[in-house]
Amino acid sequence: MKNLTELLEHEIKDLYSAEKQLIEAIPEMIEAAKNEKLKKKFAKHLKETEDHFNRIQEICKKMEINPGSTKCNAMAGLIEEFQGLLKEKSNPEILDAGLVAAARRIEHYEIAGYDSAFRYAKALKLKSVKKSLKKTLKEELKAEKKLKKLARKKIIKNARD
């Protein structure tokens, strides 16, 4: 990459792939979760993820970026980790605690990506791109905060021996 515009384009392609992979993976998380509040949180996040993916598609159109076959290997790894958790013989409360941890790791990855892309767009004075990225960043931060609160108040408490 030769400049900040190319770095932003790379980040947008990565986020496109990450969101696309999540849309496919979140239904597995919903099905695996035993706690009803956690199931609802995952279902809500699936809808948000679809919105995030639509925003990234719009950014691609505005910036004339073809995400092509770009694959976010980091997201693939995070998804693989949570899928490995599903293969473990855990009791439901422990599985829920593990799912929350996996979901929070995913959120942290997305937060880092959206924050970086937002800052690049801001530096490049791409106002509409910056605005879209900031909106998604705020939603990701809010989702992580809610997962953390749910984990602290319900999920981890239920998982204690």
Side-chain angles (χ1 to χ4, degrees):
M1 289 170 269
K2 296 176 229 134
N3 56 46
L4 192 58
T5 300
E6 288 181 9
L7 183 58
L8 174 59
E9 289 173 4
H10 172 79
E11 196 68 47
I12 295 298
K13 289 177 183 180
D14 188 73
L15 290 165
Y16 177 96
S17 173
E19 297 291 10
K20 189 174 182 181
Q21 290 178 63
L22 270 178
I23 289 169
E24 295 174 15
I26 292 173
E28 278 184 87
M29 296 177 94
I30 296 167
E31 186 177 326
K34 304 305 178 209
N35 181 285
E36 282 305 313
K37 286 188 178 186
L38 184 57
K39 280 184 176 291
K40 287 178 184 174
K41 175 64 190 132
F42 287 159
K44 182 179 180 194
H45 196 63
L46 176 58
K47 171 67 174 110
E48 289 174 349
T49 301
E50 291 166 347
D51 292 344
H52 299 167
F53 184 70
N54 290 335
R55 274 188 221 128
I56 287 289
Q57 286 181 311
E58 288 300 314
I59 290 170
C60 286
K61 286 178 190 171
K62 285 178 189 171
M63 294 184 66
E64 298 180 2
I65 297 171
N66 178 1
S69 61
T70 301
K71 181 174 182 182
C72 176
N73 292 320
M75 184 58 72
L78 290 166
I79 290 169
E80 188 178 317
E81 279 188 34
F82 105 73
Q83 289 171 331
L85 183 68
L86 300 181
K87 294 174 186 168
E88 296 289 324
K89 301 291 183 209
S90 301
N91 72 43
E93 293 79 15
I94 299 299
L95 177 60
D96 283 347
L99 286 171
V100 170
R104 290 189 64 215
R105 280 195 282 289
I106 289 167
E107 290 301 328
H108 283 265
Y109 180 78
E110 289 182 296
I111 289 165
Y114 278 105
D115 185 61
S116 296
F118 164 74
R119 293 183 190 289
Y120 303 156
K122 184 177 179 179
L124 292 166
K125 299 184 183 340
L126 300 172
K127 289 183 181 183
S128 66
V129 172
K130 177 187 87 166
K131 184 179 177 182
S132 291
L133 292 168
K134 186 175 184 178
K135 182 174 184 175
T136 301
L137 175 59
K138 284 182 174 183
E139 290 171 358
E140 296 291 6
L141 287 163
K142 187 176 179 182
E144 198 287 327
K145 187 176 181 180
K146 285 183 177 182
L147 278 169
K148 183 178 179 179
K149 183 178 178 182
L150 179 61
R152 191 176 65 238
K153 293 199 174 203
K154 291 263 186 213
I155 304 297
I156 294 171
K157 195 180 278 189
N158 292 343
R160 286 191 307 213
D161 292 332

